[in-house]
Each structure stands twice: as structure tokens, then as C-alpha cells.
Amino acid sequence: DLVGGRITGAEALVRWEHPQHGLLPPGRFIALAEELGLIAAIGTWVAEQACRDTAGWVAAGHDLNISINASKPQFLAGDLCEVLRRALFDAGLPPERLVVELTESMLMDDVDRGMQLMRRLKTLGLSLSIDDFGTGYSSLSYLKNFPLDELKIDRSFIMDLPGSAADLAIVRSVV
């Protein structure tokens, strides 16, 4: 909150502490985790840890929400709602404190299934966000029907701001 000068939200981003290479960002290991079938388990762990940490921060008096990314394997497994419901319950975190970020490509690959998932997540009381908006092939007509709370414009559109007139026009249009 720039006006109040306080943190109102955070995003849980996993890192891997590799014994030889140190702290690795997601871009260095997520594809491997997906290939090995580990990404759903990692996603569950991240959700549980994010909920526990956020519950602690809220109990300490901080008024903030946490965002987590949902992976395509979690989406396809069909148990994402139960995983998140359980993580919230176990941590004692109110559902309105959790924002679930979905990628537009994940939703657009199976629009009907994506819409069903989003409705179930909203029924739990969660907020929904489209992550990396603008990198996929979504249609604005679909977006107006999705029960979204926010769009996160992909960084490729904001990296060159304000120097890129084309990027500035796109960002202004989206906003």
C-alpha cells in the first residue's frame, strides 16, 4: 500500500536449496520437477507452508494476503480445492487471505474445466488471479466470464516501461 506504506500481500515463491549450486530459482528446477511428477507434491507443500506462515503473520497483527501459484498438474489432478481447503483449515487461515494464481494457458486449454475449478475455488472463499496475463491466447470474451479478482500483467509488458510506447499502450489498455 503506497499510501499507507505497509505490506498488504505477498506471493509464495518456492526456491530449491541445492547442495552444490546454492539457492535455485523456480526457472532452474520446475520443469524437472514437472518431468519427474513432483510438481503437485511441491505445490501442496507450498500451499501448506504459505498458509501456516500467513496465519502466523496475521496472528502477529499484520493485515496481509498470500498468493500461491497453481500448477497445471494440480489443475489436472482434480484435487486442488481439497488441498487448499485442508491447508487453510490446518493453518487456521481464513480463506479470504489466500489468492490462487492460475495461468491463462492452463485455463484456456480446457475452458469448461477451468471455469468449474474457478467456481469451486470461489465457493471456498478464495480470491482468483490470472498470472502472466498476455502471454497466452486468451480471449477477452472468456475473461469477462471468469470469476476473477485480478489480472497480473506479464512482466514482458512492463520491463521496458515507460520507454516502450507499444508496451505502454498495452498496459494502459489492460488497466
Side-chain angles (χ1 to χ4, degrees), residues 1 13 32 37 39 44-45 48 52 62 65-66 76-78 85 92 105 130 137 141 148 156-157 163:
D1 175 4
L13 298 172
L32 178 61
I39 199 68
T44 297
W45 180 84
E48 292 168 349
R52 279 192 301 270
H62 302 285
N65 299 332
I66 191 76
L76 294 174
R85 187 203 60 73
S105 60
I130 294 285
Y137 47 88
S141 64
L148 297 171
S156 65
F157 294 105

Short mmCIF file of all heavy atoms in Angstrom, two decimals, residues 1 13 32 37 39 44-45 48 52 62 65-66 76-78 85 92 105 130 137 141 148 156-157 163:
data_model
loop_
_atom_site.label_atom_id
_atom_site.label_comp_id
_atom_site.label_asym_id
_atom_site.label_seq_id
_atom_site.Cartn_x
_atom_site.Cartn_y
_atom_site.Cartn_z
N ASP A 1 0.86 -1.17 0.00
CA ASP A 1 0.00 0.00 0.00
C ASP A 1 0.90 1.23 0.00
O ASP A 1 1.49 1.56 1.03
CB ASP A 1 -0.91 -0.03 1.22
CG ASP A 1 -1.76 1.22 1.36
OD1 ASP A 1 -1.72 2.10 0.48
OD2 ASP A 1 -2.48 1.31 2.37
N LEU A 13 6.87 -17.96 -3.37
CA LEU A 13 7.68 -18.42 -4.49
C LEU A 13 8.71 -19.41 -3.97
O LEU A 13 9.54 -19.07 -3.14
CB LEU A 13 8.37 -17.24 -5.18
CG LEU A 13 7.43 -16.20 -5.78
CD1 LEU A 13 8.20 -14.97 -6.25
CD2 LEU A 13 6.64 -16.80 -6.93
N LEU A 32 12.02 -29.71 -14.39
CA LEU A 32 12.48 -31.02 -13.96
C LEU A 32 11.48 -31.64 -12.97
O LEU A 32 11.15 -32.82 -13.06
CB LEU A 32 13.87 -30.93 -13.33
CG LEU A 32 14.44 -32.23 -12.77
CD1 LEU A 32 14.60 -33.27 -13.89
CD2 LEU A 32 15.77 -31.96 -12.08
N GLY A 37 7.25 -35.69 -12.10
CA GLY A 37 5.96 -35.89 -11.44
C GLY A 37 5.93 -35.41 -10.00
O GLY A 37 5.10 -35.86 -9.21
N ILE A 39 5.71 -32.02 -9.14
CA ILE A 39 5.21 -30.65 -9.01
C ILE A 39 3.95 -30.54 -8.17
O ILE A 39 3.77 -29.58 -7.43
CB ILE A 39 5.04 -29.99 -10.41
CG1 ILE A 39 5.00 -28.47 -10.28
CG2 ILE A 39 3.83 -30.52 -11.13
CD1 ILE A 39 6.28 -27.86 -9.84
N THR A 44 1.52 -28.67 -3.16
CA THR A 44 0.82 -28.92 -1.88
C THR A 44 1.65 -28.39 -0.72
O THR A 44 1.14 -27.71 0.17
CB THR A 44 0.54 -30.43 -1.70
OG1 THR A 44 -0.34 -30.85 -2.75
CG2 THR A 44 -0.10 -30.72 -0.36
N TRP A 45 2.95 -28.69 -0.74
CA TRP A 45 3.82 -28.21 0.33
C TRP A 45 3.84 -26.68 0.38
O TRP A 45 3.77 -26.09 1.46
CB TRP A 45 5.24 -28.75 0.14
CG TRP A 45 6.18 -28.28 1.22
CD1 TRP A 45 6.36 -28.82 2.45
CD2 TRP A 45 7.00 -27.11 1.16
NE1 TRP A 45 7.27 -28.08 3.16
CE2 TRP A 45 7.68 -27.01 2.39
CE3 TRP A 45 7.25 -26.14 0.19
CZ2 TRP A 45 8.58 -25.99 2.67
CZ3 TRP A 45 8.14 -25.12 0.47
CH2 TRP A 45 8.79 -25.05 1.70
N GLU A 48 0.58 -25.40 1.90
CA GLU A 48 0.55 -25.61 3.35
C GLU A 48 1.47 -24.64 4.07
O GLU A 48 1.08 -24.03 5.08
CB GLU A 48 0.95 -27.06 3.66
CG GLU A 48 -0.07 -28.07 3.19
CD GLU A 48 0.43 -29.51 3.23
OE1 GLU A 48 1.65 -29.75 3.42
OE2 GLU A 48 -0.41 -30.41 3.02
N ARG A 52 0.42 -21.59 6.64
CA ARG A 52 0.96 -21.54 8.02
C ARG A 52 1.67 -20.22 8.28
O ARG A 52 1.45 -19.57 9.31
CB ARG A 52 1.93 -22.70 8.25
CG ARG A 52 1.27 -24.02 8.59
CD ARG A 52 2.29 -25.04 9.11
NE ARG A 52 3.35 -25.32 8.16
CZ ARG A 52 3.29 -26.28 7.23
NH1 ARG A 52 2.23 -27.05 7.11
NH2 ARG A 52 4.32 -26.48 6.41
N HIS A 62 -0.36 -8.47 11.40
CA HIS A 62 -0.17 -8.00 10.03
C HIS A 62 -1.41 -8.30 9.20
O HIS A 62 -1.89 -9.43 9.19
CB HIS A 62 1.07 -8.65 9.40
CG HIS A 62 2.31 -8.38 10.16
ND1 HIS A 62 2.95 -7.16 10.13
CD2 HIS A 62 3.03 -9.16 11.00
CE1 HIS A 62 4.01 -7.21 10.90
NE2 HIS A 62 4.08 -8.41 11.44
N ASN A 65 -2.49 -10.66 2.72
CA ASN A 65 -2.92 -11.86 2.00
C ASN A 65 -1.70 -12.50 1.37
O ASN A 65 -0.68 -11.85 1.15
CB ASN A 65 -3.92 -11.50 0.90
CG ASN A 65 -5.18 -10.88 1.46
OD1 ASN A 65 -5.57 -11.14 2.59
ND2 ASN A 65 -5.81 -10.03 0.68
N ILE A 66 -1.83 -13.79 1.03
CA ILE A 66 -0.76 -14.52 0.37
C ILE A 66 -1.27 -15.07 -0.96
O ILE A 66 -2.40 -15.52 -1.05
CB ILE A 66 -0.20 -15.66 1.27
CG1 ILE A 66 1.09 -16.24 0.71
CG2 ILE A 66 -1.23 -16.74 1.51
CD1 ILE A 66 2.30 -15.39 0.90
N LEU A 76 -5.03 -30.50 -13.25
CA LEU A 76 -5.48 -31.73 -13.90
C LEU A 76 -5.79 -32.84 -12.90
O LEU A 76 -6.64 -33.69 -13.16
CB LEU A 76 -4.43 -32.22 -14.90
CG LEU A 76 -4.21 -31.30 -16.11
CD1 LEU A 76 -3.05 -31.80 -16.96
CD2 LEU A 76 -5.47 -31.16 -16.93
N ALA A 77 -5.11 -32.85 -11.75
CA ALA A 77 -5.33 -33.89 -10.75
C ALA A 77 -6.75 -33.83 -10.17
O ALA A 77 -7.28 -34.83 -9.72
CB ALA A 77 -4.30 -33.78 -9.63
N GLY A 78 -7.33 -32.64 -10.19
CA GLY A 78 -8.71 -32.51 -9.73
C GLY A 78 -8.89 -32.38 -8.24
O GLY A 78 -10.02 -32.32 -7.76
N ARG A 85 -8.35 -26.34 0.75
CA ARG A 85 -9.27 -26.32 1.89
C ARG A 85 -8.57 -26.89 3.13
O ARG A 85 -8.62 -26.32 4.21
CB ARG A 85 -10.54 -27.13 1.58
CG ARG A 85 -11.61 -27.00 2.68
CD ARG A 85 -12.57 -28.17 2.67
NE ARG A 85 -11.94 -29.46 2.89
CZ ARG A 85 -11.45 -29.90 4.06
NH1 ARG A 85 -11.48 -29.14 5.13
NH2 ARG A 85 -10.91 -31.09 4.15
N GLY A 92 -5.47 -22.65 10.11
CA GLY A 92 -6.38 -21.71 10.75
C GLY A 92 -6.41 -20.37 10.02
O GLY A 92 -6.67 -19.33 10.63
N SER A 105 -2.95 -19.85 -19.96
CA SER A 105 -2.82 -21.01 -20.85
C SER A 105 -3.44 -22.25 -20.21
O SER A 105 -4.08 -23.04 -20.88
CB SER A 105 -1.36 -21.26 -21.22
OG SER A 105 -0.59 -21.50 -20.06
N ILE A 130 -5.34 -14.21 -12.61
CA ILE A 130 -4.68 -14.76 -13.79
C ILE A 130 -3.25 -14.25 -13.74
O ILE A 130 -3.02 -13.04 -13.69
CB ILE A 130 -5.35 -14.31 -15.10
CG1 ILE A 130 -6.76 -14.87 -15.22
CG2 ILE A 130 -4.50 -14.72 -16.31
CD1 ILE A 130 -6.84 -16.33 -15.57
N TYR A 137 -3.15 -17.14 -25.07
CA TYR A 137 -4.00 -16.88 -26.22
C TYR A 137 -5.45 -16.71 -25.77
O TYR A 137 -6.38 -17.16 -26.41
CB TYR A 137 -3.89 -18.02 -27.23
CG TYR A 137 -3.98 -19.39 -26.60
CD1 TYR A 137 -5.21 -20.02 -26.41
CD2 TYR A 137 -2.83 -20.04 -26.17
CE1 TYR A 137 -5.29 -21.26 -25.82
CE2 TYR A 137 -2.91 -21.28 -25.57
CZ TYR A 137 -4.14 -21.89 -25.41
OH TYR A 137 -4.21 -23.12 -24.82
N SER A 141 -13.50 -12.23 -24.32
CA SER A 141 -14.86 -12.70 -24.06
C SER A 141 -14.86 -13.79 -23.00
O SER A 141 -15.80 -13.89 -22.21
CB SER A 141 -15.52 -13.20 -25.34
OG SER A 141 -14.85 -14.33 -25.85
N LEU A 148 -12.84 -13.74 -11.76
CA LEU A 148 -11.51 -13.29 -11.35
C LEU A 148 -11.56 -12.07 -10.45
O LEU A 148 -12.46 -11.24 -10.56
CB LEU A 148 -10.67 -12.95 -12.59
CG LEU A 148 -10.39 -14.09 -13.55
CD1 LEU A 148 -9.77 -13.57 -14.82
CD2 LEU A 148 -9.52 -15.13 -12.89
N SER A 156 6.89 -9.21 -19.24
CA SER A 156 7.42 -8.84 -20.55
C SER A 156 6.79 -7.55 -21.07
O SER A 156 7.36 -6.87 -21.91
CB SER A 156 7.22 -9.97 -21.56
OG SER A 156 5.83 -10.20 -21.80
N PHE A 157 5.61 -7.20 -20.54
CA PHE A 157 4.94 -5.97 -20.96
C PHE A 157 5.34 -4.76 -20.12
O PHE A 157 5.05 -3.63 -20.48
CB PHE A 157 3.42 -6.13 -20.90
CG PHE A 157 2.90 -7.12 -21.89
CD1 PHE A 157 2.49 -8.38 -21.47
CD2 PHE A 157 2.83 -6.81 -23.24
CE1 PHE A 157 2.02 -9.31 -22.38
CE2 PHE A 157 2.36 -7.74 -24.15
CZ PHE A 157 1.96 -8.99 -23.73
N GLY A 163 9.70 3.37 -21.40
CA GLY A 163 10.38 3.62 -22.66
C GLY A 163 9.72 3.04 -23.90
O GLY A 163 9.90 3.57 -25.00
#
